[in-house]
Amino acid sequence: LMRSKLKAFGLFWYDFVVGDDWRVAASVVSALLITCLVSLSSVPSWWIVPAALVVLLPVSLWRATKRR
């Protein structure tokens, strides 16, 4: 019983985070990792995630509409 609940919990979070496109999830994780690495230097890193999202959103929408 406990194992099935843990599995359901893990599957929910996988579906919530990854959703329909694993490439978008991987790109967001990459943007966060790059932000973390850049923040260790003296270069401002606040702009990396918003810039990634500005690129990812249209690409994701284009891919979703292209499939139909």
Side-chain angles (χ1 to χ4, degrees):
L1 181 68
M2 185 65 166
R3 184 176 299 225
S4 65
K5 288 185 179 192
L6 284 173
K7 182 179 178 181
F9 183 74
L11 288 173
F12 163 77
W13 279 107
Y14 176 82
D15 189 45
F16 181 75
V17 172
V18 175
D20 294 331
D21 195 356
W22 65 269
R23 291 173 190 93
V24 172
S27 299
V28 169
V29 169
S30 298
L32 290 171
L33 180 63
I34 292 168
T35 302
C36 178
L37 294 174
V38 171
S39 73
L40 298 175
S41 69
S42 62
V43 178
S45 60
W46 65 266
W47 57 271
I48 296 172
V49 172
L53 294 178
V54 164
V55 172
L56 285 173
L57 182 60
V59 169
S60 175
L61 289 173
W62 177 75
R63 290 188 52 184
T65 56
K66 187 178 84 164
R67 289 186 209 150
R68 295 181 181 209

